[in-house]
Amino acid sequence: MRYGSKRLGWIFALVVLVPGILLSVIAVRSIDREEAYIEKQLEGTLLAEVVYLASLVETELGRIESELTDSAPVDPLADPGSVLVGWRDASALVTSPFLLSAQFEILWPRGNGDLDEGELSFLRWNSDFLSNRLEVPVFENIALAYKDEIVPPTETEKRSVGILQQQAKSQFEMNEEVQQKLYEQAFEEGRAAQSRLLLPSAPAAGQQEEPPPSIFISRDLRLDEITKDRDQGLIPRFVEERLSLLFWKRLSDGLIVGCVIADAELRDRLISLIPDVYTAVRIITLVDEQGRPLAAPEEIEARDYRRPFVARECSALLPLWEAAAYLTDPGAVSSQAGRVAGVLWALISILFVSILVGGILVLRAVRAEVLLARQKTGFVANVSHELKTPLTSIRMFAEMLETGRQTSEGKRQEYLSLMVSESERLTRLINNVLDFSRMEQGRKHYAMEVLDPVALCRELVDNQRPRYEQNGFHLELRVRTGEEGGRGAAAAETVWIQGDPESLKQSLLNLLSNAEKYSGEQKSIEVEIRREGRWVYMDVMDRGRGVPAAQTKRIFEEFYRGDDSLTAKVRGSGLGLAITRRILRDHGGDVLYIPREGGGSIFRIQLPVVDNQ
Ligand code: ADP
């Protein structure tokens, strides 16, 4: 039995505990990653928005360029002042218009005319550049500048320029080695990249503390180099660290007309590209070369716009400008992760507890089944033996009588009574087994009648007494059915109960037989019947070794046999008490075990009294 439980324990550990623990460990690990996972997801979504915004900015710049190309004066030479001022007044995009000769001579505004403050400062900052004396940095996407080195030449022939550019950009973005190599190469060629202004904090950006280099590298060019091979364009110009965008267009006679694009209008147009600057989750905006957002919600606490969650540089025409996304509530990710983790923890705990409880229940059920199976096996062995023993003695005595060799009448009588008692034992056993199977199948019927329990008891005890006395037992019946109950008033009143006499006899016989079987040395059995209030009690008492406290509940279970040395010596089916209890409960009564003072057992039958007699 021990060995069996140990093995069950192993199976339990293997089938329930180990998978349960493994499952929990996996779940706990995934909870740990929950925050990073949510951040990663957010990063993906926001990056898509930001990339989209950057592409909108690029498109808008193209649109602005063509708008200005269309609106630029065609023949301003005759009266540059009024034509250019007219252009400025007509277009919100235009401030500080200018006109250059084919040789980069500033034709308008002229320093000697009566210029306003704006025109004067324009000249102050731009005249060197416009008259082709000063080089300015011109920016280019590094991936496009070196696209031939990124994309293999075999592909260069096959694809269109647009696709090649896209391919170069994405390969540059994905490959850190290529990035490093090209930045070094650009540096050697004097085309350095500035550092970005913004330092994204999303997981992909890692733990870096320094903003990464810009994807736009610059080289210094003069105006003639910039305008060579082209008819119009935009030029970003940093003046005192402020960015302004110049527009230029070559006219038919080689003249160049242009303007500074109005900063406010440019910003307004770009801001209007952002569909929804502010939501509960994120803020999306453009950040200018000073690290300031073009549009931002009003917030109680100042936000560090240089630390976005994700950001993308927009255009080579707006170096240092970035499309950036911020988490509206930076703590939201961890609190959301916390919430998800809470739910997961709860689920895991429920899972674990149910696995454990389920496992324990299954284990107990299996254990009970194993025990029952074992008891049944024991039962079959015991019953076979129980059947065989009386049969063998009956047969032996019958044969002895048959031979007629035994002439003494006394002996013959003894043999006959032994045969009777053995067949009674056999009958009792068979009755028990049959009854048990009937009860199991729900086919047990009682022939109920109103009867006198005292008479029933007396008849039974009187019948059994000779046999018990033969076996050296003293069997005594005490009747105390007086109203005072138990005070010695013998048979003062007849008590009636309702019951099936055969079943009740069988119950009493089972108890008597147990008293005999488990009595040991002191062979004294007492049966006491008495009435107390609405109950009749029949106590079967012996002076045997009693039932150990640990077994008192179990002895009434089917197939249960006490496992000690005494029981081991005594054969039995383990059904007697179970059937007795079932019969009595079916009669509205019960059978109980009570330890007897001075040693021994009391098995007490209790049955309800009926008073219609
Ligand atoms: P069986 O006697 O065939 O084993 P029972 O159902 O009649 O089966 O009894 C169950 C167990 O209860 C016995 O195995 C024995 O250990 C214990 N028992 C029953 N009657 C007595 C008694 N009078 N004294 C001591 N133990 C008893």
Side-chain angles (χ1 to χ4, degrees), residues 174-246:
M174 283 183 308
N175 193 333
E176 269 184 38
E177 253 174 59
V178 172
Q179 291 173 12
Q180 204 172 347
K181 190 185 114 203
L182 292 185
Y183 277 121
E184 274 168 21
Q185 190 173 338
F187 183 74
E188 277 163 22
E189 292 170 14
R191 302 173 71 176
Q194 276 176 284
S195 283
R196 283 167 67 174
L197 274 183
L198 307 189
L199 180 57
S201 63
Q207 294 302 310
Q208 50 189 328
E209 277 307 310
E210 285 295 307
S214 165
I215 50 165
F216 301 119
I217 49 171
S218 65
R219 78 183 138 177
D220 293 340
L221 295 177
R222 277 204 310 269
L223 190 57
D224 61 343
E225 292 164 312
I226 297 173
T227 54
K228 195 172 62 187
D229 306 330
R230 300 189 60 193
D231 289 332
Q232 76 274 327
L234 298 176
I235 306 165
R237 278 229 54 203
F238 283 96
V239 172
E240 291 195 315
E241 307 212 327
R242 303 273 339 239
L243 181 73
S244 63
L245 209 50
L246 296 191

Side-chain angles (χ1 to χ4, degrees), residues 382 386 429 432 510-519 540-542 544-548 551 554-564 566-567 570-580 593 600-603:
N382 284 338
E386 284 278 279
L429 176 72
N432 275 342
N510 282 341
L511 298 185
L512 278 178
S513 141
N514 278 351
E516 181 192 0
K517 285 198 291 185
Y518 302 111
S519 261
V540 177
M541 302 177 274
D542 61 50
R545 48 94 212 213
V547 178
Q551 297 177 8
R554 303 207 59 198
I555 51 173
F556 293 100
E557 287 172 13
E558 290 148 4
F559 305 118
Y560 180 80
R561 306 207 63 225
D563 54 352
D564 48 44
L566 181 62
T567 324
V570 180
R571 288 279 164 177
S573 62
L575 286 179
L577 288 179
I579 288 176
T580 305
Y593 167 77
S601 317
I602 303 176
F603 280 88

Side-chain angles (χ1 to χ4, degrees), residues 8 45 77 92 176 349 380 453 468 492 502 511 572 600:
L8 278 180
T45 327
L77 199 54
E176 269 184 38
S349 318
V380 172
Y468 277 78
E502 286 315 309
L511 298 185

